[in-house]
mmCIF file of all heavy atoms in Angstrom:
data_model
loop_
_atom_site.group_PDB
_atom_site.id
_atom_site.type_symbol
_atom_site.label_atom_id
_atom_site.label_comp_id
_atom_site.label_asym_id
_atom_site.label_seq_id
_atom_site.Cartn_x
_atom_site.Cartn_y
_atom_site.Cartn_z
ATOM 1 N N GLY A 26 -191.260 19.055 -134.729
ATOM 2 C CA GLY A 26 -191.316 18.668 -133.324
ATOM 3 C C GLY A 26 -190.024 18.874 -132.565
ATOM 4 O O GLY A 26 -189.960 18.592 -131.360
ATOM 5 N N MET A 27 -188.989 19.394 -133.231
ATOM 6 C CA MET A 27 -187.675 19.470 -132.585
ATOM 7 C C MET A 27 -187.627 20.466 -131.429
ATOM 8 O O MET A 27 -186.830 20.293 -130.505
ATOM 9 C CB MET A 27 -186.588 19.815 -133.602
ATOM 10 C CG MET A 27 -186.025 18.599 -134.329
ATOM 11 S SD MET A 27 -185.582 17.212 -133.241
ATOM 12 C CE MET A 27 -184.391 17.944 -132.130
ATOM 13 N N ALA A 28 -188.445 21.490 -131.455
ATOM 14 C CA ALA A 28 -188.438 22.448 -130.346
ATOM 15 C C ALA A 28 -188.814 21.746 -129.042
ATOM 16 O O ALA A 28 -188.197 21.970 -127.993
ATOM 17 C CB ALA A 28 -189.401 23.601 -130.630
ATOM 18 N N VAL A 29 -189.803 20.859 -129.125
ATOM 19 C CA VAL A 29 -190.257 20.122 -127.941
ATOM 20 C C VAL A 29 -189.248 19.034 -127.566
ATOM 21 O O VAL A 29 -188.898 18.860 -126.392
ATOM 22 C CB VAL A 29 -191.643 19.502 -128.191
ATOM 23 C CG1 VAL A 29 -192.048 18.600 -127.027
ATOM 24 C CG2 VAL A 29 -192.676 20.597 -128.394
ATOM 25 N N ARG A 30 -188.756 18.297 -128.575
ATOM 26 C CA ARG A 30 -187.826 17.201 -128.292
ATOM 27 C C ARG A 30 -186.507 17.721 -127.722
ATOM 28 O O ARG A 30 -185.885 17.073 -126.886
ATOM 29 C CB ARG A 30 -187.539 16.376 -129.564
ATOM 30 C CG ARG A 30 -188.727 15.764 -130.266
ATOM 31 C CD ARG A 30 -189.680 15.007 -129.352
ATOM 32 N NE ARG A 30 -189.132 13.891 -128.625
ATOM 33 C CZ ARG A 30 -189.071 12.627 -129.081
ATOM 34 N NH1 ARG A 30 -189.509 12.337 -130.296
ATOM 35 N NH2 ARG A 30 -188.610 11.664 -128.328
ATOM 36 N N ARG A 31 -186.091 18.886 -128.187
ATOM 37 C CA ARG A 31 -184.866 19.485 -127.667
ATOM 38 C C ARG A 31 -184.999 19.777 -126.174
ATOM 39 O O ARG A 31 -184.084 19.519 -125.387
ATOM 40 C CB ARG A 31 -184.569 20.766 -128.436
ATOM 41 C CG ARG A 31 -183.446 21.595 -127.855
ATOM 42 C CD ARG A 31 -183.584 23.043 -128.285
ATOM 43 N NE ARG A 31 -182.734 23.901 -127.477
ATOM 44 C CZ ARG A 31 -183.009 25.160 -127.173
ATOM 45 N NH1 ARG A 31 -184.132 25.701 -127.593
ATOM 46 N NH2 ARG A 31 -182.188 25.873 -126.451
ATOM 47 N N VAL A 32 -186.151 20.323 -125.778
ATOM 48 C CA VAL A 32 -186.399 20.624 -124.359
ATOM 49 C C VAL A 32 -186.429 19.332 -123.546
ATOM 50 O O VAL A 32 -185.904 19.260 -122.427
ATOM 51 C CB VAL A 32 -187.716 21.409 -124.194
ATOM 52 C CG1 VAL A 32 -188.080 21.543 -122.725
ATOM 53 C CG2 VAL A 32 -187.589 22.787 -124.839
ATOM 54 N N GLU A 33 -187.032 18.300 -124.128
ATOM 55 C CA GLU A 33 -187.110 16.994 -123.464
ATOM 56 C C GLU A 33 -185.711 16.434 -123.205
ATOM 57 O O GLU A 33 -185.405 15.946 -122.107
ATOM 58 C CB GLU A 33 -187.913 16.042 -124.357
ATOM 59 C CG GLU A 33 -188.202 14.693 -123.739
ATOM 60 C CD GLU A 33 -188.999 13.791 -124.663
ATOM 61 O OE1 GLU A 33 -189.418 14.256 -125.752
ATOM 62 O OE2 GLU A 33 -189.171 12.614 -124.313
ATOM 63 N N MET A 34 -184.851 16.523 -124.202
ATOM 64 C CA MET A 34 -183.489 16.031 -124.054
ATOM 65 C C MET A 34 -182.707 16.870 -123.045
ATOM 66 O O MET A 34 -181.959 16.326 -122.210
ATOM 67 C CB MET A 34 -182.773 16.044 -125.413
ATOM 68 C CG MET A 34 -181.300 15.656 -125.338
ATOM 69 S SD MET A 34 -181.015 13.954 -124.805
ATOM 70 C CE MET A 34 -181.254 13.109 -126.379
ATOM 71 N N HIS A 35 -182.891 18.168 -123.099
ATOM 72 C CA HIS A 35 -182.127 19.037 -122.199
ATOM 73 C C HIS A 35 -182.512 18.798 -120.737
ATOM 74 O O HIS A 35 -181.674 18.942 -119.842
ATOM 75 C CB HIS A 35 -182.350 20.506 -122.562
ATOM 76 C CG HIS A 35 -181.369 21.429 -121.921
ATOM 77 N ND1 HIS A 35 -179.999 21.311 -122.107
ATOM 78 C CD2 HIS A 35 -181.534 22.482 -121.074
ATOM 79 C CE1 HIS A 35 -179.380 22.249 -121.406
ATOM 80 N NE2 HIS A 35 -180.280 22.956 -120.761
ATOM 81 N N ALA A 36 -183.757 18.424 -120.499
ATOM 82 C CA ALA A 36 -184.195 18.115 -119.137
ATOM 83 C C ALA A 36 -183.435 16.904 -118.598
ATOM 84 O O ALA A 36 -183.069 16.855 -117.410
ATOM 85 C CB ALA A 36 -185.698 17.864 -119.108
ATOM 86 N N VAL A 37 -183.182 15.921 -119.446
ATOM 87 C CA VAL A 37 -182.401 14.751 -119.048
ATOM 88 C C VAL A 37 -180.965 15.167 -118.737
ATOM 89 O O VAL A 37 -180.377 14.753 -117.732
ATOM 90 C CB VAL A 37 -182.419 13.676 -120.162
ATOM 91 C CG1 VAL A 37 -181.526 12.494 -119.780
ATOM 92 C CG2 VAL A 37 -183.845 13.200 -120.423
ATOM 93 N N GLU A 38 -180.412 16.022 -119.610
ATOM 94 C CA GLU A 38 -179.032 16.490 -119.408
ATOM 95 C C GLU A 38 -178.878 17.258 -118.098
ATOM 96 O O GLU A 38 -177.868 17.123 -117.404
ATOM 97 C CB GLU A 38 -178.628 17.359 -120.607
ATOM 98 C CG GLU A 38 -177.176 17.781 -120.618
ATOM 99 C CD GLU A 38 -176.919 19.072 -119.869
ATOM 100 O OE1 GLU A 38 -177.865 19.874 -119.750
ATOM 101 O OE2 GLU A 38 -175.784 19.270 -119.386
ATOM 102 N N ARG A 39 -179.902 18.029 -117.733
ATOM 103 C CA ARG A 39 -179.832 18.792 -116.487
ATOM 104 C C ARG A 39 -179.824 17.873 -115.271
ATOM 105 O O ARG A 39 -179.169 18.157 -114.262
ATOM 106 C CB ARG A 39 -181.034 19.752 -116.397
ATOM 107 C CG ARG A 39 -181.000 20.895 -117.390
ATOM 108 C CD ARG A 39 -179.863 21.855 -117.095
ATOM 109 N NE ARG A 39 -179.994 22.474 -115.796
ATOM 110 C CZ ARG A 39 -180.706 23.562 -115.541
ATOM 111 N NH1 ARG A 39 -181.378 24.168 -116.518
ATOM 112 N NH2 ARG A 39 -180.758 24.082 -114.330
ATOM 113 N N ARG A 40 -180.544 16.752 -115.348
ATOM 114 C CA ARG A 40 -180.520 15.785 -114.248
ATOM 115 C C ARG A 40 -179.128 15.178 -114.085
ATOM 116 O O ARG A 40 -178.659 14.955 -112.975
ATOM 117 C CB ARG A 40 -181.559 14.694 -114.491
ATOM 118 C CG ARG A 40 -182.979 15.169 -114.179
ATOM 119 C CD ARG A 40 -184.049 14.228 -114.704
ATOM 120 N NE ARG A 40 -183.696 12.826 -114.527
ATOM 121 C CZ ARG A 40 -183.982 11.881 -115.411
ATOM 122 N NH1 ARG A 40 -184.613 12.182 -116.532
ATOM 123 N NH2 ARG A 40 -183.647 10.637 -115.176
ATOM 124 N N ALA A 41 -178.473 14.937 -115.215
ATOM 125 C CA ALA A 41 -177.108 14.422 -115.168
ATOM 126 C C ALA A 41 -176.177 15.445 -114.523
ATOM 127 O O ALA A 41 -175.299 15.091 -113.720
ATOM 128 C CB ALA A 41 -176.618 14.072 -116.573
ATOM 129 N N ASP A 42 -176.356 16.706 -114.862
ATOM 130 C CA ASP A 42 -175.562 17.780 -114.244
ATOM 131 C C ASP A 42 -175.735 17.774 -112.730
ATOM 132 O O ASP A 42 -174.766 17.960 -111.980
ATOM 133 C CB ASP A 42 -175.992 19.149 -114.784
ATOM 134 C CG ASP A 42 -175.421 19.436 -116.163
ATOM 135 O OD1 ASP A 42 -174.490 18.727 -116.585
ATOM 136 O OD2 ASP A 42 -175.905 20.380 -116.809
ATOM 137 N N GLY A 43 -176.971 17.559 -112.281
ATOM 138 C CA GLY A 43 -177.259 17.573 -110.850
ATOM 139 C C GLY A 43 -176.488 16.502 -110.103
ATOM 140 O O GLY A 43 -175.950 16.749 -109.008
ATOM 141 N N ILE A 44 -176.407 15.302 -110.682
ATOM 142 C CA ILE A 44 -175.661 14.222 -110.028
ATOM 143 C C ILE A 44 -174.171 14.524 -110.017
ATOM 144 O O ILE A 44 -173.485 14.285 -109.027
ATOM 145 C CB ILE A 44 -175.940 12.878 -110.725
ATOM 146 C CG1 ILE A 44 -177.412 12.484 -110.540
ATOM 147 C CG2 ILE A 44 -175.032 11.784 -110.161
ATOM 148 C CD1 ILE A 44 -177.787 11.196 -111.214
ATOM 149 N N CYS A 45 -173.662 15.080 -111.116
ATOM 150 C CA CYS A 45 -172.244 15.421 -111.177
ATOM 151 C C CYS A 45 -171.899 16.467 -110.113
ATOM 152 O O CYS A 45 -170.872 16.355 -109.424
ATOM 153 C CB CYS A 45 -171.895 15.946 -112.569
ATOM 154 S SG CYS A 45 -170.118 16.060 -112.891
ATOM 155 N N HIS A 46 -172.754 17.450 -109.937
ATOM 156 C CA HIS A 46 -172.542 18.461 -108.892
ATOM 157 C C HIS A 46 -172.589 17.825 -107.499
ATOM 158 O O HIS A 46 -171.801 18.192 -106.613
ATOM 159 C CB HIS A 46 -173.604 19.563 -108.994
ATOM 160 C CG HIS A 46 -173.447 20.442 -110.197
ATOM 161 N ND1 HIS A 46 -172.232 20.901 -110.638
ATOM 162 C CD2 HIS A 46 -174.370 20.951 -111.059
ATOM 163 C CE1 HIS A 46 -172.400 21.654 -111.717
ATOM 164 N NE2 HIS A 46 -173.679 21.690 -111.996
ATOM 165 N N ASP A 47 -173.495 16.880 -107.321
ATOM 166 C CA ASP A 47 -173.607 16.184 -106.030
ATOM 167 C C ASP A 47 -172.314 15.444 -105.711
ATOM 168 O O ASP A 47 -171.801 15.489 -104.579
ATOM 169 C CB ASP A 47 -174.796 15.215 -106.087
ATOM 170 C CG ASP A 47 -175.132 14.621 -104.720
ATOM 171 O OD1 ASP A 47 -174.565 15.078 -103.712
ATOM 172 O OD2 ASP A 47 -175.970 13.702 -104.660
ATOM 173 N N ILE A 48 -171.760 14.768 -106.717
ATOM 174 C CA ILE A 48 -170.505 14.038 -106.514
ATOM 175 C C ILE A 48 -169.379 15.004 -106.150
ATOM 176 O O ILE A 48 -168.598 14.751 -105.233
ATOM 177 C CB ILE A 48 -170.137 13.229 -107.778
ATOM 178 C CG1 ILE A 48 -171.128 12.069 -107.960
ATOM 179 C CG2 ILE A 48 -168.703 12.691 -107.687
ATOM 180 C CD1 ILE A 48 -170.964 11.308 -109.259
ATOM 181 N N ARG A 49 -169.306 16.130 -106.849
ATOM 182 C CA ARG A 49 -168.273 17.130 -106.539
ATOM 183 C C ARG A 49 -168.404 17.635 -105.102
ATOM 184 O O ARG A 49 -167.402 17.768 -104.387
ATOM 185 C CB ARG A 49 -168.376 18.298 -107.511
ATOM 186 C CG ARG A 49 -167.897 18.023 -108.909
ATOM 187 C CD ARG A 49 -167.601 19.310 -109.643
ATOM 188 N NE ARG A 49 -167.487 19.107 -111.072
ATOM 189 C CZ ARG A 49 -168.438 19.373 -111.952
ATOM 190 N NH1 ARG A 49 -169.592 19.880 -111.536
ATOM 191 N NH2 ARG A 49 -168.249 19.165 -113.243
ATOM 192 N N ASN A 50 -169.629 17.929 -104.695
ATOM 193 C CA ASN A 50 -169.861 18.446 -103.340
ATOM 194 C C ASN A 50 -169.466 17.429 -102.276
ATOM 195 O O ASN A 50 -168.864 17.779 -101.251
ATOM 196 C CB ASN A 50 -171.329 18.840 -103.167
ATOM 197 C CG ASN A 50 -171.700 20.069 -103.970
ATOM 198 O OD1 ASN A 50 -170.836 20.883 -104.312
ATOM 199 N ND2 ASN A 50 -172.972 20.212 -104.281
ATOM 200 N N ARG A 51 -169.806 16.168 -102.518
ATOM 201 C CA ARG A 51 -169.456 15.123 -101.553
ATOM 202 C C ARG A 51 -167.938 14.949 -101.471
ATOM 203 O O ARG A 51 -167.380 14.767 -100.381
ATOM 204 C CB ARG A 51 -170.112 13.798 -101.948
ATOM 205 C CG ARG A 51 -171.628 13.773 -101.754
ATOM 206 C CD ARG A 51 -172.225 12.518 -102.368
ATOM 207 N NE ARG A 51 -173.677 12.558 -102.354
ATOM 208 C CZ ARG A 51 -174.437 12.001 -101.410
ATOM 209 N NH1 ARG A 51 -173.867 11.347 -100.400
ATOM 210 N NH2 ARG A 51 -175.745 12.076 -101.471
ATOM 211 N N LEU A 52 -167.273 14.995 -102.617
ATOM 212 C CA LEU A 52 -165.822 14.821 -102.634
ATOM 213 C C LEU A 52 -165.107 15.959 -101.919
ATOM 214 O O LEU A 52 -164.074 15.748 -101.276
ATOM 215 C CB LEU A 52 -165.319 14.722 -104.078
ATOM 216 C CG LEU A 52 -165.621 13.411 -104.816
ATOM 217 C CD1 LEU A 52 -165.196 13.522 -106.269
ATOM 218 C CD2 LEU A 52 -164.918 12.235 -104.149
ATOM 219 N N SER A 53 -165.660 17.166 -102.029
ATOM 220 C CA SER A 53 -165.007 18.320 -101.400
ATOM 221 C C SER A 53 -165.005 18.215 -99.877
ATOM 222 O O SER A 53 -164.165 18.825 -99.205
ATOM 223 C CB SER A 53 -165.705 19.618 -101.828
ATOM 224 O OG SER A 53 -167.028 19.671 -101.317
ATOM 225 N N ALA A 54 -165.947 17.433 -99.336
ATOM 226 C CA ALA A 54 -166.042 17.285 -97.874
ATOM 227 C C ALA A 54 -165.597 15.912 -97.395
ATOM 228 O O ALA A 54 -165.637 15.622 -96.207
ATOM 229 C CB ALA A 54 -167.480 17.541 -97.426
ATOM 230 N N ALA A 55 -165.157 15.068 -98.326
ATOM 231 C CA ALA A 55 -164.834 13.682 -97.969
ATOM 232 C C ALA A 55 -163.419 13.551 -97.434
ATOM 233 O O ALA A 55 -162.493 14.232 -97.890
ATOM 234 C CB ALA A 55 -165.023 12.781 -99.179
ATOM 235 N N PHE A 56 -163.277 12.666 -96.472
ATOM 236 C CA PHE A 56 -161.952 12.347 -95.928
ATOM 237 C C PHE A 56 -161.468 11.007 -96.475
ATOM 238 O O PHE A 56 -160.318 10.854 -96.848
ATOM 239 C CB PHE A 56 -162.006 12.303 -94.399
ATOM 240 C CG PHE A 56 -160.694 11.945 -93.769
ATOM 241 C CD1 PHE A 56 -159.611 12.818 -93.847
ATOM 242 C CD2 PHE A 56 -160.525 10.735 -93.103
ATOM 243 C CE1 PHE A 56 -158.385 12.484 -93.274
ATOM 244 C CE2 PHE A 56 -159.301 10.401 -92.537
ATOM 245 C CZ PHE A 56 -158.232 11.275 -92.621
ATOM 246 N N ILE A 57 -162.382 10.049 -96.542
ATOM 247 C CA ILE A 57 -162.055 8.724 -97.059
ATOM 248 C C ILE A 57 -162.990 8.405 -98.225
ATOM 249 O O ILE A 57 -164.209 8.584 -98.122
ATOM 250 C CB ILE A 57 -162.205 7.646 -95.972
ATOM 251 C CG1 ILE A 57 -161.205 7.887 -94.835
ATOM 252 C CG2 ILE A 57 -161.995 6.250 -96.567
ATOM 253 C CD1 ILE A 57 -161.354 6.938 -93.674
ATOM 254 N N THR A 58 -162.418 7.941 -99.330
ATOM 255 C CA THR A 58 -163.208 7.527 -100.483
ATOM 256 C C THR A 58 -162.769 6.116 -100.886
ATOM 257 O O THR A 58 -161.629 5.721 -100.621
ATOM 258 C CB THR A 58 -163.021 8.492 -101.668
ATOM 259 O OG1 THR A 58 -161.614 8.619 -101.954
ATOM 260 C CG2 THR A 58 -163.595 9.854 -101.357
ATOM 261 N N PRO A 59 -163.644 5.349 -101.543
ATOM 262 C CA PRO A 59 -163.314 3.954 -101.872
ATOM 263 C C PRO A 59 -162.173 3.828 -102.873
ATOM 264 O O PRO A 59 -161.452 2.829 -102.883
ATOM 265 C CB PRO A 59 -164.620 3.411 -102.447
ATOM 266 C CG PRO A 59 -165.350 4.620 -102.941
ATOM 267 C CD PRO A 59 -165.004 5.701 -101.970
ATOM 268 N N ILE A 60 -162.031 4.809 -103.746
ATOM 269 C CA ILE A 60 -160.939 4.892 -104.710
ATOM 270 C C ILE A 60 -160.473 6.348 -104.730
ATOM 271 O O ILE A 60 -161.079 7.199 -104.076
ATOM 272 C CB ILE A 60 -161.383 4.439 -106.120
ATOM 273 C CG1 ILE A 60 -162.638 5.205 -106.557
ATOM 274 C CG2 ILE A 60 -161.622 2.942 -106.161
ATOM 275 C CD1 ILE A 60 -163.156 4.831 -107.934
ATOM 276 N N ASP A 61 -159.415 6.642 -105.459
ATOM 277 C CA ASP A 61 -158.884 8.000 -105.477
ATOM 278 C C ASP A 61 -159.962 9.015 -105.860
ATOM 279 O O ASP A 61 -160.752 8.773 -106.789
ATOM 280 C CB ASP A 61 -157.738 8.120 -106.485
ATOM 281 C CG ASP A 61 -156.470 7.447 -105.985
ATOM 282 O OD1 ASP A 61 -156.451 7.048 -104.806
ATOM 283 O OD2 ASP A 61 -155.518 7.315 -106.769
ATOM 284 N N GLN A 62 -159.971 10.140 -105.146
ATOM 285 C CA GLN A 62 -160.927 11.199 -105.455
ATOM 286 C C GLN A 62 -160.814 11.641 -106.911
ATOM 287 O O GLN A 62 -161.829 11.912 -107.572
ATOM 288 C CB GLN A 62 -160.709 12.399 -104.538
ATOM 289 C CG GLN A 62 -161.127 12.166 -103.096
ATOM 290 C CD GLN A 62 -161.169 13.460 -102.298
ATOM 291 O OE1 GLN A 62 -161.001 14.541 -102.843
ATOM 292 N NE2 GLN A 62 -161.412 13.341 -101.008
ATOM 293 N N GLU A 63 -159.583 11.728 -107.404
ATOM 294 C CA GLU A 63 -159.370 12.181 -108.780
ATOM 295 C C GLU A 63 -160.033 11.247 -109.783
ATOM 296 O O GLU A 63 -160.586 11.689 -110.801
ATOM 297 C CB GLU A 63 -157.871 12.278 -109.085
ATOM 298 C CG GLU A 63 -157.137 13.366 -108.330
ATOM 299 C CD GLU A 63 -156.777 12.956 -106.903
ATOM 300 O OE1 GLU A 63 -157.054 11.785 -106.521
ATOM 301 O OE2 GLU A 63 -156.241 13.802 -106.172
ATOM 302 N N ASP A 64 -159.993 9.937 -109.496
ATOM 303 C CA ASP A 64 -160.611 8.963 -110.403
ATOM 304 C C ASP A 64 -162.138 9.075 -110.375
ATOM 305 O O ASP A 64 -162.790 8.973 -111.419
ATOM 306 C CB ASP A 64 -160.184 7.543 -110.024
ATOM 307 C CG ASP A 64 -158.712 7.287 -110.337
ATOM 308 O OD1 ASP A 64 -158.180 7.945 -111.246
ATOM 309 O OD2 ASP A 64 -158.110 6.436 -109.661
ATOM 310 N N ILE A 65 -162.696 9.261 -109.193
ATOM 311 C CA ILE A 65 -164.149 9.433 -109.084
ATOM 312 C C ILE A 65 -164.582 10.679 -109.849
ATOM 313 O O ILE A 65 -165.543 10.654 -110.629
ATOM 314 C CB ILE A 65 -164.590 9.545 -107.610
ATOM 315 C CG1 ILE A 65 -164.285 8.255 -106.850
ATOM 316 C CG2 ILE A 65 -166.085 9.871 -107.520
ATOM 317 C CD1 ILE A 65 -164.521 8.355 -105.349
ATOM 318 N N LEU A 66 -163.863 11.774 -109.630
ATOM 319 C CA LEU A 66 -164.206 13.036 -110.281
ATOM 320 C C LEU A 66 -164.049 12.945 -111.788
ATOM 321 O O LEU A 66 -164.908 13.428 -112.540
ATOM 322 C CB LEU A 66 -163.326 14.161 -109.728
ATOM 323 C CG LEU A 66 -163.630 15.579 -110.227
ATOM 324 C CD1 LEU A 66 -165.065 15.966 -109.893
ATOM 325 C CD2 LEU A 66 -162.655 16.574 -109.622
ATOM 326 N N HIS A 67 -162.966 12.320 -112.233
ATOM 327 C CA HIS A 67 -162.724 12.176 -113.670
ATOM 328 C C HIS A 67 -163.829 11.360 -114.330
ATOM 329 O O HIS A 67 -164.356 11.735 -115.388
ATOM 330 C CB HIS A 67 -161.362 11.511 -113.890
ATOM 331 C CG HIS A 67 -160.871 11.593 -115.307
ATOM 332 N ND1 HIS A 67 -159.741 10.940 -115.742
ATOM 333 C CD2 HIS A 67 -161.366 12.240 -116.401
ATOM 334 C CE1 HIS A 67 -159.553 11.190 -117.018
ATOM 335 N NE2 HIS A 67 -160.526 11.957 -117.448
ATOM 336 N N LEU A 68 -164.194 10.244 -113.711
ATOM 337 C CA LEU A 68 -165.238 9.390 -114.265
ATOM 338 C C LEU A 68 -166.585 10.112 -114.281
ATOM 339 O O LEU A 68 -167.321 10.055 -115.276
ATOM 340 C CB LEU A 68 -165.339 8.094 -113.463
ATOM 341 C CG LEU A 68 -166.355 7.057 -113.948
ATOM 342 C CD1 LEU A 68 -166.107 6.685 -115.394
ATOM 343 C CD2 LEU A 68 -166.321 5.824 -113.048
ATOM 344 N N ALA A 69 -166.899 10.806 -113.192
ATOM 345 C CA ALA A 69 -168.155 11.548 -113.121
ATOM 346 C C ALA A 69 -168.222 12.620 -114.202
ATOM 347 O O ALA A 69 -169.271 12.821 -114.838
ATOM 348 C CB ALA A 69 -168.315 12.183 -111.744
ATOM 349 N N GLN A 70 -167.109 13.308 -114.439
ATOM 350 C CA GLN A 70 -167.083 14.355 -115.460
ATOM 351 C C GLN A 70 -167.248 13.768 -116.859
ATOM 352 O O GLN A 70 -167.959 14.332 -117.709
ATOM 353 C CB GLN A 70 -165.782 15.146 -115.375
ATOM 354 C CG GLN A 70 -165.739 16.356 -116.298
ATOM 355 C CD GLN A 70 -166.862 17.336 -116.013
ATOM 356 O OE1 GLN A 70 -166.957 17.873 -114.916
ATOM 357 N NE2 GLN A 70 -167.737 17.560 -116.993
ATOM 358 N N LEU A 71 -166.601 12.633 -117.110
ATOM 359 C CA LEU A 71 -166.737 11.996 -118.425
ATOM 360 C C LEU A 71 -168.175 11.556 -118.688
ATOM 361 O O LEU A 71 -168.697 11.731 -119.795
ATOM 362 C CB LEU A 71 -165.786 10.802 -118.527
ATOM 363 C CG LEU A 71 -164.306 11.135 -118.724
ATOM 364 C CD1 LEU A 71 -163.447 9.889 -118.534
ATOM 365 C CD2 LEU A 71 -164.071 11.733 -120.107
ATOM 366 N N LEU A 72 -168.813 10.977 -117.680
ATOM 367 C CA LEU A 72 -170.208 10.562 -117.839
ATOM 368 C C LEU A 72 -171.105 11.770 -118.079
ATOM 369 O O LEU A 72 -172.047 11.719 -118.892
ATOM 370 C CB LEU A 72 -170.675 9.792 -116.603
ATOM 371 C CG LEU A 72 -170.045 8.407 -116.411
ATOM 372 C CD1 LEU A 72 -170.418 7.831 -115.048
ATOM 373 C CD2 LEU A 72 -170.468 7.460 -117.526
#
């Protein structure tokens, strides 16, 4: 069953990628952020 389960897991990982990209895009256009941009980006990348 690993062929199917692998695809299932990768679909979850792709959703995580989407949020990380969203955070990057927002930061690139942001003027004011609640905490340092570098900290937000670092945390998002680690997650």
Side-chain angles (χ1 to χ4, degrees):
M27 274 312 302
V29 173
R30 303 311 300 272
R31 171 203 165 211
V32 172
E33 186 180 355
M34 175 64 82
H35 194 58
V37 176
E38 187 272 335
R39 291 293 298 275
R40 283 167 40 217
D42 282 345
I44 294 179
C45 193
H46 290 318
D47 190 9
I48 291 173
R49 287 199 195 101
N50 290 337
R51 289 171 188 264
L52 287 174
S53 66
F56 178 68
I57 296 176
T58 54
I60 53 180
D61 286 351
Q62 289 192 6
E63 292 81 3
D64 290 333
I65 297 172
L66 185 59
H67 193 187
L68 182 56
Q70 187 59 61
L71 285 169
L72 291 171

